[in-house]
Amino acid sequence: AVTRTFSIIKPDATRRNLTGAVTAKLEEAGLRVVASKRIHMTREQAEGFYAVHKDRPFFGELCDFMMSEPVVVQVLEGEDAVARNREVMGATNPADAAEGTIRKTFALSIGENTVHGSDSEENAAIEIAFFFKPEEIVG
Ligand code: CMP
């Protein structure tokens, strides 16, 4: 079925002017950008978005990084969008990511790993609603 997922192009990518290159990989994978905006996350947004990780040792570093430079938040639509996006992103740690994936191609480290993508349809709905109003999504 055609579904939606949520994506973030992270600060390591916006800083290196890779917004277009990353988006091209997503589009080549059959995903369509149905909403997109460039934002500079506040601490409140970063900590709220990553609240599930608040007890992890890297939580502070993760939030600081996500607030360090602008990001591009996107809603992606396509056949089985969550799985398709996870496949094109590659493993969280670029050292483990498959050839041709976004993280293998662009990521710098497990923290500076270029993209975020929802891990389930349930979380996709929550994450989309965190950053977008329904009328901002144009399918
Ligand atoms: P993301 O999909 O955005 O969700 C949580 C993020 O935490 C993950 O991508 C990684 O970038 C980050 N992360 C996971 N493990 C580590 C780690 N050991 N050190 C720093 N960041 C990490």
Side-chain angles (χ1 to χ4, degrees):
V2 173
T3 57
R4 289 175 176 174
T5 192
F6 175 74
S7 171
I8 305 177
I9 302 176
K10 294 188 179 187
D12 66 282
T14 60
R15 185 191 347 124
R16 289 178 288 155
N17 208 22
L18 294 173
T19 297
V22 171
T23 302
K25 288 268 200 193
L26 298 171
E27 291 178 340
E28 281 161 23
L31 295 161
R32 181 176 291 273
V33 180
V34 294
S36 183
K37 59 186 170 189
R38 180 173 164 101
I39 61 168
H40 202 142
M41 276 199 206
T42 62
R43 177 163 299 280
E44 206 175 15
Q45 284 176 312
E47 291 183 350
F49 182 76
Y50 281 120
V52 295
H53 296 304
K54 68 179 187 308
D55 296 325
R56 303 278 194 100
F58 56 81
F59 179 68
E61 184 189 324
L62 172 62
C63 292
D64 287 346
F65 169 59
M66 293 302 286
M67 298 164 49
S68 67
E69 302 260 356
V71 300
V72 178
V73 290
Q74 296 177 319
V75 180
L76 308 176
E77 190 175 270
E79 194 65 37
D80 213 356
V82 169
R84 212 171 255 233
N85 185 42
R86 291 182 70 75
E87 194 175 335
V88 70
M89 283 195 299
T92 303
N93 187 344
D96 301 328
E99 211 59 52
T101 61
I102 291 170
R103 285 167 170 159
K104 177 70 176 186
T105 307
F106 299 117
L108 303 175
S109 66
I110 192 167
E112 296 196 309
N113 66 349
T114 308
V115 277
H116 165 83
S118 307
D119 63 4
S120 66
E121 281 197 34
E122 189 189 359
N123 282 335
I126 293 167
E127 292 175 359
I128 289 168
F130 193 89
F131 286 106
F132 290 98
K133 295 176 190 148
E135 62 267 29
E136 292 178 306
I137 305 166
V138 183

